[in-house]
Amino acid sequence: MESVEGARSFMTSGSAYDLFMGRYSRPLAVTFVETAGVSPGARALDVGCGPGALTGVLVGLLGADAVCAFDPSAPFVAECEARHPGVDVRLGRAEAIPFDDASFDYALAELVLHFVTDPQQAAIELKRVVRPGGLVAACVWDFGEGMEMLRHFWDAALIVDPGAPDEATTLRFGREGEIAELLAAAGFVDISEATLTVESHYQGFAELWSGFLAGIGPAGTFCLSLPADECARVREELFRSIGSPSGPFALAATARYAHGRRSI
């Protein structure tokens, strides 16, 4: 099975992803599902499931036979299948969701929209796969200030390389109103916005830094692209930025959230 476009920086193991971002996406998934109001008896789709953080929360609430998922990364599809037996997990993109019309009560996209090539087409597809009255919800990190781990990294990277591709300026949907505007343009109704905040605890700075060295997402890809001396400088600046911790510490992460319903 070949991976599709858009998955290049996520062609990695589930354990590597967990070390870097899964430690945030798992608690975020719990808050995300609660805010969306997912309830037992529903059918739900995990859009861009990764190795399955949100899938697992949905399975715990709805049962494996009521949950489907897909992702553009073949390793993540395999990992999600292995972690959640009984879930229908497929390879696919948000712009061409590999499930039938009106198949779900909920379609949830956690930390996905900012990596979608054609968000407008993705919104149309999300509307297609939920039943009339069904709910589509999405959340994306607030890259400007709210996601401390990435904000500290990009602030450090910009000191070393002023041209660093800061996600706050290169990716969409991390600011207030952007997800809601996308849903409104696609014809969703009863649109609502919120912020979701979680945190992750690190045993020390080495644990944080090892996540970037896994090469996941824009930050990890940029980190590994640097010459060794510049990478070391980013490490030093990041260490200083988070307060030069000598032991355990925690970083908070806030996501922008919005949902809308398909009209009946």
Side-chain angles (χ1 to χ4, degrees), residues 28 111 114 139-151 166-168 171-176 178-179 194-197 252-257:
L28 179 64
L111 309 180
H114 47 313
C139 63
V140 169
W141 294 128
D142 178 347
F143 296 111
E145 297 294 338
M147 208 301 176
E148 291 184 344
M149 182 263 285
L150 290 175
R151 186 67 265 144
D166 181 358
E167 289 168 83
L171 298 182
R172 296 179 58 191
F173 303 111
R175 287 170 285 277
E176 184 178 2
E178 288 185 298
I179 301 174
T195 56
L196 313 177
T197 300
T254 295
R256 295 286 179 178
Y257 165 95

Side-chain angles (χ1 to χ4, degrees), residues 6-252:
R8 288 186 295 274
S9 66
F10 295 96
M11 296 298 294
T12 186
S13 69
S15 59
Y17 180 85
D18 288 345
L19 177 66
F20 178 63
M21 190 57 69
R23 63 196 310 140
Y24 293 96
S25 62
R26 288 191 300 270
L28 179 64
V30 175
T31 302
F32 186 27
V33 168
E34 290 175 351
T35 304
V38 181
S39 57
R43 283 182 53 80
L45 176 65
D46 184 352
V47 177
C49 61
L54 174 59
T55 308
V57 175
L58 292 171
V59 168
L61 181 63
L62 307 177
D65 59 348
V67 178
C68 295
F70 71 93
D71 197 90
S73 166
F76 282 172
V77 168
E79 186 74 24
C80 189
E81 286 180 319
R83 292 183 180 185
H84 307 296
V87 175
D88 184 354
V89 188
R90 304 181 187 181
L91 189 70
R93 303 171 63 203
E95 296 93 336
I97 296 175
F99 291 95
D100 293 338
D101 296 358
S103 297
F104 303 100
D105 301 295
Y106 296 89
L108 307 179
E110 179 182 80
L111 309 180
V112 171
L113 282 182
H114 47 313
F115 294 121
V116 170
T117 304
D118 187 343
Q120 289 72 29
Q121 179 59 31
I124 292 170
E125 281 289 280
L126 289 168
K127 187 177 179 182
R128 177 184 66 79
V129 298
V130 295
R131 62 171 176 77
L135 185 137
V136 167
C139 63
V140 169
W141 294 128
D142 178 347
F143 296 111
E145 297 294 338
M147 208 301 176
E148 291 184 344
M149 182 263 285
L150 290 175
R151 186 67 265 144
H152 283 298
F153 174 83
W154 288 117
D155 286 346
L158 288 166
I159 292 172
V160 176
D161 178 1
D166 181 358
E167 289 168 83
T169 59
T170 60
L171 298 182
R172 296 179 58 191
F173 303 111
R175 287 170 285 277
E176 184 178 2
E178 288 185 298
I179 301 174
E181 290 169 4
L182 178 70
L183 296 177
F188 286 93
V189 298
D190 299 331
I191 295 170
S192 179
E193 291 185 277
T195 56
L196 313 177
T197 300
V198 297
E199 67 177 19
S200 183
H201 294 261
Y202 296 86
Q203 292 303 306
F205 180 77
E207 184 179 356
L208 171 66
W209 183 245
S210 64
F212 292 105
L213 297 182
I216 297 169
T221 300
F222 175 77
C223 189
L224 294 187
S225 75
L226 294 172
D229 61 330
E230 292 186 13
C231 187
R233 287 179 58 202
V234 171
R235 185 186 187 281
E236 293 172 3
E237 293 294 344
L238 177 60
F239 182 67
R240 185 178 302 111
S241 178
I242 64 172
S244 304
S246 59
F249 62 94
L251 296 175

